[in-house]
Amino acid sequence: MEVNHTKLKQRTARLSVVSNTLLVMLKLVVGIFTGSVSIVSEAAHSGVDLIAALVAYVAVKKSGKPPDSQHAYGHGKIENLSAAFEAVLIVLAALWIVYESVEKIKTAHAPEYLEYGLFVMALSVAVNYWVSSKLYHVALLTGSHALEADALHLKADIWTSVGVFLGLGIIQYTGLYWLDPAIAIAVAVVVFKAGFDMTMKSIYELTDVSLPEDEEREIRTIVSSHPTVIAVHQLRTRRSGSFRLIDMHIILQKNMHLDKAHAVCDEIEATIQKKFNPCDVIIHLEPCDYYDDYGACPAECEENCKHE
């Protein structure tokens, strides 16, 4: 399953690289031909998307490598670094849009052959909507933060393309040139917010913040529901790229034989991995009278705990 996820992430990231390359070239050619500053700035924005897609592709390829002597927990953090880098690019793209919009207000230049620009923007919206949906679906399926960041990047590009499309349409039919940069600035605010949120999320995970409360609660429920588990405590969780790293202490009957206790741990690990794949689960065993809080075991060990 893990190998399949890695291949799926690589194929999806490669799709993003190809689509962004084609859109950058098309927007740049049409922008220069029509003399539209907004289309050229959109080409620059798509250029940022292309860089982000390349980073995501390299990240998912590197992060899928198995653990080695220097990276015992794998290479998942590469995805977190990639997501942080892409988030910064989103913020920079938003600032670029504002800068180009202000410059356009100053020059009040009227572009020509706007029908070509309208076609390119409509095509960009359609392509990016399809690719971003594909990226986001695979990101949810595999837990890839690099692909999630790339999907967010393309969704931001959809909004900017819609803004430019509306601006060009208004220019063509009303002659109100100032509305084009005004719409672009409004879209830039949306893009900036998306980039800021992704930046904060990446920072949290690079600093090993715990998994969301609902996920930790579900992990505790899975462990506690096992009939032989008396209690679970010292649950610690974090993420490394697509992987969830989970460790905990569980309390079992003190006279349970090692082979039985080991089987209990295997069952718990398998259930957690089925729910939160891919993940790595480490369980530390403790006897029920290890803590003063328990004293003696709260119940007699069942026959299947004994070695006959």
Side-chain angles (χ1 to χ4, degrees), residues 64-185:
K65 295 170 60 178
D68 54 36
S69 59
Q70 293 184 318
H71 303 86
Y73 289 97
H75 300 77
K77 287 293 184 182
I78 294 176
E79 284 202 40
N80 299 115
L81 287 171
S82 168
F85 179 72
E86 290 184 51
V88 172
L89 290 180
I90 293 175
V91 172
L92 292 177
L95 297 176
W96 171 266
I97 294 169
V98 172
Y99 172 79
E100 288 296 325
S101 299
V102 172
E103 289 298 312
K104 189 172 182 182
I105 291 175
K106 292 178 181 178
T107 58
H109 173 71
E112 301 175 342
Y113 307 106
L114 292 180
E115 58 274 11
Y116 294 103
L118 290 168
F119 171 77
V120 170
M121 290 301 104
L123 179 64
S124 176
V125 170
V127 171
N128 282 332
Y129 178 80
W130 180 72
V131 176
S132 64
S133 298
K134 178 72 173 178
L135 285 168
Y136 194 68
H137 172 73
V138 174
L140 290 179
L141 180 64
T142 62
S144 172
H145 282 211
L147 292 183
E148 182 184 357
D150 199 13
L152 180 61
H153 221 137
L154 291 183
K155 286 183 178 180
D157 199 19
I158 291 173
W159 285 107
T160 57
S161 296
V162 169
V164 173
F165 180 87
L166 292 175
L168 294 176
I170 291 172
I171 290 175
Q172 186 173 28
Y173 292 106
T174 68
L176 299 176
Y177 303 127
W178 62 271
L179 285 178
D180 181 24
I183 292 174
I185 291 174

Side-chain angles (χ1 to χ4, degrees), residues 67-68 71-76 238 240 243 245 280 282:
D68 54 36
H71 303 86
Y73 289 97
H75 300 77
R238 62 189 176 95
S240 177
F243 285 85
L245 303 176
D280 184 35
I282 299 176

Side-chain angles (χ1 to χ4, degrees), residues 22-77:
L22 295 176
L23 287 177
V24 168
M25 295 173 61
L26 187 59
K27 288 178 181 178
L28 189 60
V29 170
V30 173
I32 295 174
F33 175 73
T34 61
S36 171
V37 178
S38 60
I39 298 177
V40 173
S41 64
E42 259 299 284
H45 184 200
S46 293
V48 175
D49 290 343
L50 176 58
I51 295 173
L54 289 169
V55 171
Y57 176 71
V58 173
V60 298
K61 190 173 183 179
K62 296 291 185 181
S63 65
K65 295 170 60 178
D68 54 36
S69 59
Q70 293 184 318
H71 303 86
Y73 289 97
H75 300 77
K77 287 293 184 182

Side-chain angles (χ1 to χ4, degrees), residues 100-308:
E100 288 296 325
S101 299
V102 172
E103 289 298 312
K104 189 172 182 182
I105 291 175
K106 292 178 181 178
T107 58
H109 173 71
E112 301 175 342
Y113 307 106
L114 292 180
E115 58 274 11
Y116 294 103
L118 290 168
F119 171 77
V120 170
M121 290 301 104
L123 179 64
S124 176
V125 170
V127 171
N128 282 332
Y129 178 80
W130 180 72
V131 176
S132 64
S133 298
K134 178 72 173 178
L135 285 168
Y136 194 68
H137 172 73
V138 174
L140 290 179
L141 180 64
T142 62
S144 172
H145 282 211
L147 292 183
E148 182 184 357
D150 199 13
L152 180 61
H153 221 137
L154 291 183
K155 286 183 178 180
D157 199 19
I158 291 173
W159 285 107
T160 57
S161 296
V162 169
V164 173
F165 180 87
L166 292 175
L168 294 176
I170 291 172
I171 290 175
Q172 186 173 28
Y173 292 106
T174 68
L176 299 176
Y177 303 127
W178 62 271
L179 285 178
D180 181 24
I183 292 174
I185 291 174
V187 172
V189 174
V190 177
V191 175
F192 183 88
K193 176 65 166 54
F196 179 80
D197 290 343
M198 179 58 72
T199 301
M200 297 307 298
K201 184 176 182 179
S202 300
I203 290 174
Y204 289 151
E205 294 186 352
L206 283 171
T207 54
D208 288 337
V209 68
S210 299
L211 294 179
E213 289 185 10
D214 60 325
E215 292 190 9
E216 287 200 344
R217 186 164 51 249
E218 192 163 359
I219 292 170
R220 290 182 183 275
T221 300
I222 290 173
V223 179
S224 300
S225 63
H226 195 283
T228 62
V229 173
I230 297 173
V232 55
H233 64 115
Q234 294 191 28
L235 174 65
R236 299 187 300 176
T237 63
R238 62 189 176 95
R239 287 192 70 127
S240 177
S242 304
F243 285 85
R244 294 172 175 86
L245 303 176
I246 304 166
D247 66 78
M248 71 191 78
H249 293 200
I250 65 171
I251 298 176
L252 300 177
Q253 293 285 351
K254 66 178 181 180
N255 55 348
M256 182 181 290
H257 279 266
L258 181 60
D259 57 349
K260 174 62 178 178
H262 184 269
V264 170
C265 292
D266 284 346
E267 292 171 5
I268 293 173
E269 290 173 9
T271 305
I272 294 175
Q273 288 170 348
K274 183 178 180 181
K275 178 65 179 179
F276 297 103
N277 186 61
C279 68
D280 184 35
V281 184
I282 299 176
I283 300 176
H284 174 75
L285 296 174
E286 294 175 352
C288 58
D289 59 352
Y290 186 80
Y291 288 103
D292 293 336
D293 292 346
Y294 288 98
C297 288
E300 293 296 328
C301 183
E302 297 180 1
E303 290 301 317
N304 59 7
C305 297
K306 299 177 181 178
H307 179 68
E308 299 296 342

